[in-house]
Amino acid sequence: MKYTHYYIIGCLWALLMLLPSPSGVAHAQKRKVMNRPYIDQRMFHYGFLAGMHLQDIELEQNGMIDEANGSQWFAETPNYEPGFSVGILGEFFMTKHLALRIIPTMHFGTKNVHFRNEKNGDKLYQTIKSTYITIPVDVKFSAERFNNYRPYFMAGVTPALDLTVKKQKQYLLRNADVYLEAGFGCDFYLPFFKFIPEVKFMYGLTNVINKNRSDITDETQLIFTQSVNKAKSKMIVFTFYFE
């Protein structure tokens, strides 16, 4: 439910991009001078990206009760801190409407986890900082170009490596993950470059909770890991590409 409003906004944006403007309806046959008309037909073209993202972690909890003191901890991520993303884009021509993209990217961000003890109402907090290196491999499905814009959808797979895993915390996350991703955007052809806003949704496929907590010296802290069966990472990424 936490992502509902983002999905609604995303769907509305997609519809707006795919629908013609009122002036376009009135002058359906009117064409403008096309900027950079052959850029998409090159076998390979490249650019760079900058943007922001939101991270989440989906926890499957088992309600375990600590036999020593009767505590029962539950965790959630009630809010998000925006992160920053930068990277480079390489795009390979496949057909008129299909392209293969490889996008090495770094994501700098955090996940805030709140813990609540159902027995006495105690609360604890953990901030999980992350620096992800990802290498998305996507297929881009583009519509027909009209004048100087061209909407598209994309889907792909993204291996990811977290460089800032920290121990001695309530949760210890694995540093490797794989995401499925899907999104949409629009190519805007400007006189000197191509500008591409995009929104994509990423869902982690692996269980990122590390159950091997040999790093913990206080055994009472094990209850946090033992109370969770698995955890899946999620991200929403808002990106601006420049080619």
Side-chain angles (χ1 to χ4, degrees):
M1 295 297 295
K2 291 184 291 183
Y3 280 139
T4 302
H5 54 298
Y6 292 113
Y7 280 108
I8 293 173
I9 293 171
C11 291
L12 289 175
W13 187 21
L15 289 173
L16 287 174
M17 289 193 300
L18 292 173
L19 290 173
S21 65
S23 61
V25 174
H27 305 281
Q29 303 303 318
K30 186 175 180 180
R31 292 280 180 174
K32 298 180 180 179
V33 175
M34 296 179 68
N35 297 321
R36 306 183 66 80
Y38 304 110
I39 185 172
D40 292 332
Q41 299 177 24
R42 296 177 181 176
M43 185 59 64
F44 173 76
H45 48 97
Y46 59 91
F48 66 94
L49 67 94
M52 62 170 291
H53 68 269
L54 301 172
Q55 294 185 24
D56 186 24
I57 183 168
E58 183 180 289
L59 302 168
E60 181 183 294
Q61 301 171 90
N62 55 34
M64 178 181 175
I65 299 176
D66 190 345
E67 295 181 358
N69 54 29
S71 62
Q72 185 181 31
W73 289 92
F74 291 91
E76 61 178 353
T77 52
N79 51 52
Y80 307 96
E81 295 293 333
F84 182 63
S85 305
V86 293
I88 56 177
L89 165 69
E91 185 170 309
F92 298 86
F93 176 84
M94 296 173 66
T95 70
K96 182 179 179 181
H97 297 287
L98 292 177
L100 179 67
R101 304 196 305 177
I102 300 176
I103 316 169
T105 307
M106 294 191 72
H107 302 283
F108 306 89
T110 60
K111 292 182 279 285
N112 293 314
V113 183
H114 292 190
F115 302 91
R116 184 184 71 257
N117 189 339
E118 290 296 303
K119 179 183 178 182
N120 54 25
D122 287 349
K123 295 182 179 180
L124 293 173
Y125 306 94
Q126 180 181 353
T127 297
I128 304 174
K129 295 183 178 180
S130 59
T131 302
Y132 288 109
I133 294 180
T134 64
I135 307 179
V137 179
D138 300 329
V139 176
K140 179 181 177 182
F141 309 87
S142 298
E144 195 72 27
R145 176 175 173 173
F146 181 78
N147 289 335
N148 289 311
Y149 69 88
R150 190 183 192 190
Y152 69 87
F153 291 92
M154 49 73 60
V157 62
T158 302
L161 182 66
D162 190 354
L163 303 180
T164 56
V165 173
K166 290 189 176 182
K167 301 181 179 181
Q168 294 290 348
K169 298 290 185 179
Q170 288 93 342
Y171 285 161
L172 175 63
L173 303 185
R174 301 181 189 277
N175 60 359
D177 200 358
V178 177
Y179 293 86
L180 284 181
E181 61 181 25
F184 53 86
C186 189
D187 295 339
F188 291 96
Y189 301 83
L190 304 181
F192 300 106
F193 63 93
K194 187 165 69 169
F195 173 65
I196 312 167
E198 178 185 278
V199 177
K200 69 178 178 181
F201 305 90
M202 302 172 60
Y203 186 83
L205 299 180
T206 66
N207 180 10
V208 293
I209 283 287
N210 192 336
K211 293 283 190 176
N212 180 17
R213 298 309 306 273
S214 57
D215 60 298
I216 289 182
T217 55
D218 182 1
E219 292 188 358
T220 62
Q221 295 292 303
L222 289 174
I223 183 64
F224 297 101
T225 299
Q226 294 169 345
S227 297
V228 178
N229 289 332
K230 61 182 179 180
K232 299 290 185 70
S233 294
K234 296 180 180 179
M235 293 178 67
I236 300 177
V237 186
F238 306 88
T239 308
F240 297 101
Y241 297 92
F242 301 86
E243 289 187 28

